[in-house]
Amino acid sequence: LTLGFVGDSALALEYGYGTRTTPTIVGHMLEKFGALRTVRVVNRAVSGTSSSAWFPGAAIYDNAVKAFRATNTQYVVYCHGLNDALGTYDEFLYDAFLSQAINAFVADGFTIILCRPTVRFDDPVYITNMTGYMPILDSKVNGTTILQGDLLAFDYFLVHPEEVPDTIHPQNKG
């Protein structure tokens, strides 16, 4: 099983794990639960990006698709929203950018696993925007080309701020 990852710094960077990013840890967890199944992770997350940056013709999108095809990736774990909410994209813009990105990956032959982003609990505008984004994320899941991913991170980190010491990036147990 090969999983591609697309997102922002919450997926791209190493926080509290030495040389292990969140996608690498997810891959190890899935291997453990899947017994003998090997899970390969192809991480194309880019720090500082929002859903508006991921579209055909954009270098980060095209490079991700190229890497995913080269590794026979079938599933792309898509997790964006943090920088969208910090950029104060309203729900209409977020919906448009999210749809553009995930529909492009689907059109390129990938199945999306759509995840909710982590929480930034020190910013009330962010929490308001993300709360409005949740129904949009949920509405995209169709059970065939767009699958439900993580539903727990936002709520978990909202009540466990100690797991997000810089207010953005999960660490340690989180």
Side-chain angles (χ1 to χ4, degrees):
L1 173 65
T2 303
L3 294 174
F5 283 80
V6 172
D8 51 33
S9 60
L11 297 181
L13 301 178
E14 302 155 3
Y15 288 94
Y17 301 113
T19 59
R20 297 179 350 152
T21 61
T22 300
T24 302
I25 292 166
V26 169
H28 290 301
M29 289 173 63
L30 289 173
E31 280 185 351
K32 184 178 177 181
F33 293 134
L36 301 175
R37 187 170 199 165
T38 300
V39 178
R40 182 175 184 185
V41 170
V42 181
N43 190 359
R44 288 299 176 257
V46 178
S47 295
T49 61
S50 64
S51 56
S52 64
W54 293 87
F55 59 90
I60 60 172
Y61 177 88
D62 293 344
N63 289 338
V65 169
K66 183 178 179 181
F68 297 156
R69 286 186 176 148
T71 56
N72 295 314
T73 299
Q74 293 177 311
Y75 299 95
V76 173
V77 179
Y78 186 94
C79 185
H80 260 300
L82 185 118
N83 292 325
D84 299 80
L86 292 175
T88 63
Y89 291 159
D90 65 19
E91 293 165 14
F92 175 79
L93 278 177
Y94 180 70
D95 188 9
F97 292 141
L98 174 68
S99 295
Q100 169 185 265
I102 61 176
N103 291 338
F105 281 112
V106 168
D108 278 324
F110 303 103
T111 299
I112 295 291
I113 300 172
L114 191 59
C115 296
R116 290 182 176 175
T118 59
V119 67
R120 179 168 179 158
F121 51 84
D122 67 336
D123 187 326
V125 172
Y126 169 81
I127 291 177
T128 298
N129 286 340
M130 276 308 305
T131 301
Y133 294 174
M134 296 301 179
I136 295 167
L137 285 161
D138 295 344
S139 74
K140 303 301 178 194
V141 174
N142 62 23
T144 55
T145 58
I146 303 172
L147 307 176
Q148 184 67 67
D150 176 66
L151 293 172
L152 304 176
F154 183 83
D155 293 332
Y156 175 84
F157 292 118
L158 193 59
V159 296
H160 293 282
E162 72 279 4
E163 296 297 337
V164 192
D166 70 353
T167 74
I168 301 173
H169 304 101
Q171 292 192 29
N172 305 320
K173 184 176 75 175

